[in-house]
Amino acid sequence: MSKDILIESGAAHDDGVYTEGREGYDGHGHIKSFVRRAGRMSDAQHRYFDEMMPKIGIAYQSANIDLNAVFGRDNPKILEIGCGMGETTARIAAANPENDYFGLEVHVPGVGALCKLIAEKNLANLRIGNHDAVEVVRDMLPEGSLSGIHVFFPDPWHKTRHKKRRLIQPPFVELLASRLKPGGYFHCATDWENYALQMLDVLGREASLQNSVANPAATALAAALEADSAAGLAGFAPRPEYRPLTKFENRGLRLGHGVWDVIFTKR
């Protein structure tokens, strides 16, 4: 695997590197794909965070962990990056008890909300990490340890000067792919057309991955990127049943907004 910086570094002003809360920071940073917003937590989120995280939280450490030991069984392990408020994550875990899920979310109110769902639904197959996904994947997850990766509706960073902050970048995709077992899947979803094109392009350039559906012709993808339009472009997958529709997504679809799924598998 290359030794490139995982997400391109920038200047220390408007687009600079975030170092807040970075345990294990080694001086070779990456631009954060998130900003730590000071969201208000409800009393219930506070309570469930305090009660549940000692039981189901996976703390950051600068060494590999054994996910089979964490969950107490040798079942498929699925990583979800960016759980938000946890509704989709909890629904997927509840519907697929044969799999084990490791959800990563940096915003504490969302972690508290997911803790509440885990307790209410008694989900034994879901654990949470409250830390930067790049560092968790890089430092804690062994190669070939995952059967799947979910990146659903990541922050689109829609301004041109901010696109370097997007999570789906070639070095990080290379790192994530190295953590997949052969045959494992990498599933991204977005409602931003420009980001959908970037996802299709970046995953398509990773040699260890192959599209789960027919790839677009190179000329067609280049034309789509130039036109900034995914209209009629091959390479996007139908939404699988395991990814439930959220209320937000349903509302967008009713308004005619597009949603794109990109699903690749490890060779």
Side-chain angles (χ1 to χ4, degrees):
M1 196 177 80
S2 74
K3 295 184 179 179
D4 295 342
I5 292 175
L6 292 177
I7 299 179
E8 177 188 355
S9 291
H13 47 80
D14 180 50
D15 294 326
V17 176
Y18 281 79
T19 59
E20 177 188 354
R22 295 196 56 201
E23 298 92 338
Y25 178 63
D26 59 7
H28 301 285
H30 55 279
I31 286 184
K32 294 290 189 183
S33 62
F34 60 88
V35 175
R36 290 188 185 274
R37 295 183 291 272
R40 179 183 178 278
M41 289 183 75
S42 69
D43 290 341
Q45 289 167 357
H46 263 298
R47 184 172 69 256
Y48 280 100
F49 183 95
D50 292 342
E51 291 178 0
M52 295 296 294
M53 283 301 282
K55 302 174 185 176
I56 51 86
I58 300 179
Y60 170 80
Q61 62 181 54
S62 57
N64 281 178
I65 60 172
D66 182 348
L67 288 173
N68 287 337
V70 168
F71 286 91
R73 60 180 189 172
D74 184 9
N75 285 35
K77 302 297 187 286
I78 314 297
L79 175 71
E80 178 163 345
I81 299 176
C83 300
M85 299 305 287
E87 178 186 354
T88 295
T89 308
R91 288 174 64 185
I92 292 173
N96 300 275
E98 72 281 4
N99 296 332
D100 294 324
Y101 294 89
F102 180 17
L104 296 175
E105 177 55 54
V106 295
H107 301 298
V108 177
V111 175
L114 182 51
C115 284
K116 183 174 183 290
L117 291 170
I118 291 172
E120 291 175 343
K121 296 176 182 290
N122 195 27
L123 298 175
N125 63 332
L126 178 54
R127 302 288 189 273
I128 308 175
N130 179 214
H131 193 80
D132 179 2
V134 172
E135 295 174 353
V136 170
V137 175
R138 180 192 66 198
D139 300 337
M140 296 177 63
L141 300 184
E143 293 189 5
S145 59
L146 300 174
S147 295
I149 296 168
H150 297 167
V151 183
F152 297 156
F153 304 99
D155 193 323
W157 293 100
H158 58 279
K159 293 182 180 180
T160 299
R161 72 178 186 273
H162 289 157
K163 286 181 180 176
K164 66 171 70 72
R165 288 197 184 279
R166 286 179 172 175
L167 188 69
I168 302 301
Q169 306 280 2
F172 190 42
V173 166
E174 180 186 5
L175 176 68
L176 285 167
S178 74
R179 271 48 180 175
L180 281 173
K181 297 178 178 180
Y185 68 93
F186 191 148
H187 183 181
C188 301
T190 183
D191 56 352
W192 283 80
E193 189 170 19
N194 176 269
Y195 205 175
L197 290 168
Q198 179 175 328
M199 289 172 172
L200 187 59
D201 181 41
V202 171
L203 268 67
R205 292 176 184 272
E206 171 51 49
S208 68
L209 299 175
Q210 60 183 358
N211 203 329
S212 64
V213 298
N215 265 322
T219 52
L221 179 56
L225 289 165
E226 177 68 24
D228 201 20
S229 171
L233 186 67
F236 297 107
R239 179 184 63 85
E241 289 186 2
Y242 65 75
R243 184 177 77 75
L245 288 172
T246 65
K247 294 177 183 177
F248 174 81
E249 186 178 358
N250 267 319
R251 183 167 63 249
L253 290 171
R254 287 197 300 270
L255 294 172
H257 300 167
V259 175
W260 294 266
D261 287 84
V262 178
I263 306 175
F264 279 63
T265 58
K266 181 74 175 286
R267 299 181 189 275

